[in-house]
Amino acid sequence: MFFKKFHLLFILVCGTASAQYIATDETRTPLQLIEDVLINSGCASVSNVSVSGGNFGSGENSWGYFNANGSGFPFSEGVVLSTGKIINTVGPNTFISDDGGGMGWTGDSDLNQALGLTSTFNATILEFDFIPVGNQISFDYIFSSEQYLTNPNPNQCSFTDGFVFLLKEVGSSSYENLAVIPNTNIAVKVNTVRGTGTICPAQNEQYFDAFNGNEHPTNFNGQTKVLTAKSAVIPGRPYHIKLVIADEGNYRYDSAIFLKGSSFSVGVDLGSDRVFANNNPICPTESLTLNGTAPGALSYQWNFNTNPIPGETNATLTFNPPFTSAQDGTYSLTTTYSPTCTTVADIDLEFAPDLVINQDTYFYCDADAAQDGITTVTLSDIVPTLFTNLPLGFQVSFYSSAASTTPLSDSFLLTTPFQQIIYAKITNSSCYAPIPVTININVFTNTIADEELGMCNNDPITLTADPGYAFYTWSTGETTQLIQVATPAVYTVTIENADGCTKIKTFTVIGSEIATIDDIIVNDFNGDNSVEIIVSGTGNYEYSINGIQYQDSAVFNDLNGLVYTAYVRDKNGCGEVSREFYLIQIPKFFTPNGDGYNDYWNIKDGNPLAQNAGALIYIFDRFGKLLKQISAEGLGWDGIYNGKLMPADDYWYRIQLPDNRTHNGHFTLKR
């Protein structure tokens, strides 16, 4: 019992996996492939059907029938032509199909001439004659190739297999190739239709489907999207069509053409699609008549999006304004020629609305410092408000004049100050005349100066914006001209004038306080008599020693007075403090001759508070002998030692102050 269940499960799994890939059949004749598969209607009289391809010793064909086999392949069935065995077109995409080497399988001269090639191999050819009943033929196809490599070498980017769908009137010597990129004469090949994602450059990638992984319905590395080959023909005349695919350069890397079953349509041509993508929608004031008249037709039926239009059974269908977007869609004509021949021709129509202008005058503010009426405007910002009914997909560009064909940059710098007229155009439709758009530039010429303010001891202060303007918006969210703040910080206010233009004023509020003088360092023993004022506090301070001239530096040099006052004031107006300080000056000589001038030597100190009380001064001769000890408060030394006048000479001193400063030096006794 277990074995039977396992066996059943295995069959189900295998059946599901096989349905992921297409299937091929090589038993159908060329005539069956054309009449029963490709055309599958009585609308074309077919004759002279022939096929040629690889003569494989194992009996496989390079042409035949395929069906989707339950996979996701876009065509349910059709005809496949390959440069290798069609059995190798079946997925998964797990190996490179490389058939046809060394077997004398040649190319095709008509393909060479149509594509400008000189060396092709492994050509598979399907050709036949037919007589159309309508004035247009078309069929759908997909081109697949192993040359769509995801990791090619640079030299592989130029290799491409070729195929052509050649059409001519019977008896003519000149073919037309129908396998071209839509609306061009560029042949569809690997290097003309390729997507992004490899080192090879993308080409017409809107027509490329995908690079394939292993799990794909076919065994090819990539393919195009579904493309349509079509051509105008003359009803009742015999035509010859030749479908050819071949390898270029060598037999390597096979390719294939998949022709959709029942897609060979012989009908009428209703004209090119009239859509915005082709820049030719039907204009709001235009009348359009679709004409599907066909000789020999028994009946007509017009359809909209595949649904019959009641009462529209003539060969023509006319559209008159006004139009609405509800009319956009696919219109088709079903033409019946006989009980076995019915054709369907279609055309896509889009109707351009009558645009309503909402706003054509705009005001901007000069955004640069010059305020000269010349500024840059983002033109795309205009589009949403220019019309009241601009449909999606409409493309609007702006031009300097109605006749200009060069669009302005989206970031447009005006060339005329204060006012300039530019022109809006719908670029994907020729239905509309250029629309003049007036741009006005307002200015804010008044000067708005930034300010720096001090906040003393965290006391709240008032910030006052420049008066006389329409609106004020502060960084705090307030909207008055004046605000009060209690925290040091940077505050901004956006000032708006009557024209809606703005400037930003910045207030830098600096926290501050009155200074505290912690110390005054006096350097009065070094000859230059300097002083440094040491303070503490959070303010921004400046210094003076006379209360008149102030400086940023706390150091003062080359002082020659005895009594000074140090002043420290806060630059932000938080107050000033002061303290008196004194210098000690040491005479360099004295003349003890009893004339009342310089009769004594002592340090000079004008300190009325006896700052240096207790200072000791020792006097020595040149040999280091202590001659005298004096105090700073006394008269000093009179030049006498042990009752004797000391001779004129240099003498040495050492001063020891109460603050433990000491200083050594010398002076001269003159007689």
Side-chain angles (χ1 to χ4, degrees), residues 53-360:
N55 185 20
F56 296 102
S58 52
E60 291 95 338
N61 290 333
S62 60
W63 52 271
Y65 170 84
F66 76 90
N67 63 54
N69 193 32
S71 71
F73 195 73
F75 300 155
S76 61
E77 65 172 356
V79 178
V80 57
L81 309 178
S82 177
T83 62
K85 300 174 184 179
I86 64 168
I87 189 63
N88 288 336
T89 66
V90 177
N93 179 34
T94 54
F95 67 93
I96 295 294
S97 180
D98 245 352
D99 301 325
M103 54 186 290
W105 189 4
T106 61
D108 181 77
S109 59
D110 291 329
L111 178 144
N112 290 349
Q113 182 176 355
L115 299 183
L117 303 176
T118 59
S119 177
T120 57
F121 299 85
N122 298 10
T124 295
I125 306 166
L126 176 63
E127 51 189 327
F128 58 92
D129 294 338
F130 68 97
I131 299 175
V133 296
N135 63 4
Q136 178 177 267
I137 66 163
S138 67
F139 55 92
D140 298 335
Y141 67 94
I142 291 173
F143 171 58
S144 300
S145 181
E146 297 283 34
Q147 289 183 331
Y148 282 122
L149 299 172
T150 55
N151 292 292
N153 295 319
N155 65 318
Q156 291 176 306
C157 294
S158 60
F159 281 97
T160 178
D161 290 345
F163 73 96
V164 289
F165 300 155
L166 301 175
L167 177 70
K168 68 177 180 179
E169 283 193 52
V170 171
S172 172
S173 60
S174 177
Y175 278 114
E176 176 190 4
N177 180 25
L178 309 185
V180 294
I181 295 168
N183 303 313
T184 74
N185 59 0
I186 301 172
V188 175
K189 299 186 292 183
V190 172
N191 60 1
T192 61
V193 179
R194 178 164 43 209
T196 57
T198 75
I199 63 172
C200 299
Q203 295 290 337
N204 299 297
E205 56 184 315
Q206 67 270 35
Y207 302 112
F208 180 72
D209 181 28
F211 294 102
N212 301 325
N214 287 351
E215 286 303 317
H216 190 264
T218 70
N219 182 33
F220 289 103
N221 291 328
Q223 62 280 321
T224 67
K225 293 181 179 179
V226 176
L227 299 174
T228 299
K230 61 183 178 180
S231 177
V233 293
I234 300 174
R237 290 192 182 181
Y239 286 85
H240 181 75
I241 192 165
K242 182 177 182 179
L243 312 177
V244 189
I245 186 167
D247 287 328
E248 180 189 2
N250 55 48
Y251 73 92
R252 306 300 303 274
Y253 293 93
D254 293 338
S255 299
I257 290 295
F258 293 89
L259 307 171
K260 182 180 181 181
S262 303
S263 71
F264 192 92
S265 173
V266 184
V268 295
D269 182 11
L270 298 179
S272 300
D273 292 339
R274 297 286 303 275
V275 294
F276 285 101
N278 295 341
N279 294 338
N280 64 345
I282 301 164
C283 296
T285 59
E286 179 185 357
S287 293
L288 174 69
T289 296
L290 301 178
N291 190 343
T293 302
L298 299 180
S299 66
Y300 303 95
Q301 176 61 59
W302 288 96
N303 312 285
F304 176 55
N305 291 337
T306 72
N307 298 313
I309 304 174
E312 295 295 345
T313 57
N314 294 321
T316 59
L317 180 64
T318 299
F319 300 87
N320 292 311
F323 305 118
T324 70
S325 60
Q327 294 174 269
D328 294 353
T330 300
Y331 293 82
S332 61
L333 175 62
T334 302
T335 305
T336 301
Y337 296 90
S338 71
T340 60
C341 178
T342 298
T343 65
V344 178
D346 58 47
I347 184 173
D348 289 337
L349 301 181
E350 292 178 347
F351 296 85
D354 191 5
L355 294 179
V356 178
I357 296 176
N358 175 59
Q359 179 181 349
D360 58 6

Side-chain angles (χ1 to χ4, degrees), residues 228-511:
T228 299
K230 61 183 178 180
S231 177
V233 293
I234 300 174
R237 290 192 182 181
Y239 286 85
H240 181 75
I241 192 165
K242 182 177 182 179
L243 312 177
V244 189
I245 186 167
D247 287 328
E248 180 189 2
N250 55 48
Y251 73 92
R252 306 300 303 274
Y253 293 93
D254 293 338
S255 299
I257 290 295
F258 293 89
L259 307 171
K260 182 180 181 181
S262 303
S263 71
F264 192 92
S265 173
V266 184
V268 295
D269 182 11
L270 298 179
S272 300
D273 292 339
R274 297 286 303 275
V275 294
F276 285 101
N278 295 341
N279 294 338
N280 64 345
I282 301 164
C283 296
T285 59
E286 179 185 357
S287 293
L288 174 69
T289 296
L290 301 178
N291 190 343
T293 302
L298 299 180
S299 66
Y300 303 95
Q301 176 61 59
W302 288 96
N303 312 285
F304 176 55
N305 291 337
T306 72
N307 298 313
I309 304 174
E312 295 295 345
T313 57
N314 294 321
T316 59
L317 180 64
T318 299
F319 300 87
N320 292 311
F323 305 118
T324 70
S325 60
Q327 294 174 269
D328 294 353
T330 300
Y331 293 82
S332 61
L333 175 62
T334 302
T335 305
T336 301
Y337 296 90
S338 71
T340 60
C341 178
T342 298
T343 65
V344 178
D346 58 47
I347 184 173
D348 289 337
L349 301 181
E350 292 178 347
F351 296 85
D354 191 5
L355 294 179
V356 178
I357 296 176
N358 175 59
Q359 179 181 349
D360 58 6
T361 300
Y362 293 84
F363 293 86
Y364 294 89
C365 291
D366 196 333
D368 53 51
Q371 295 295 298
D372 55 3
I374 298 290
T375 194
T376 298
V377 173
T378 302
L379 297 180
S380 58
D381 291 343
I382 294 175
V383 176
T385 58
L386 182 57
F387 305 99
T388 60
N389 62 332
L390 184 69
L392 292 174
F394 273 47
Q395 299 170 9
V396 181
S397 293
F398 295 88
Y399 298 80
S400 60
S401 69
S404 173
T405 58
T406 303
L408 299 173
S409 171
D410 188 44
S411 295
F412 170 58
L413 179 65
L414 273 71
T415 57
T416 303
F418 301 108
Q419 186 180 85
Q420 185 165 349
I421 297 176
I422 60 176
Y423 293 83
K425 299 181 184 180
I426 308 298
T427 56
N428 57 341
S429 172
S430 58
C431 294
Y432 306 100
I435 301 164
V437 176
T438 302
I439 297 177
N440 297 285
I441 305 300
N442 295 323
V443 295
F444 192 140
T445 55
N446 293 350
T447 299
I448 302 294
D450 295 338
E451 293 186 34
E452 183 175 296
L453 302 174
M455 177 181 289
C456 298
N457 304 312
N458 291 323
D459 292 332
I461 63 171
T462 298
L463 307 183
T464 304
D466 302 56
Y469 294 98
F471 300 101
Y472 302 88
T473 304
W474 292 85
S475 55
T476 61
E478 295 164 279
T479 57
T480 55
Q481 181 198 351
L482 312 176
I483 68 169
Q484 192 173 68
V485 297
T487 305
V490 175
Y491 298 88
T492 60
V493 57
T494 300
I495 302 173
E496 182 176 329
N497 66 12
D499 292 323
C501 298
T502 61
K503 283 189 176 181
I504 296 177
K505 180 183 182 75
T506 299
F507 290 87
T508 302
V509 177
I510 300 173

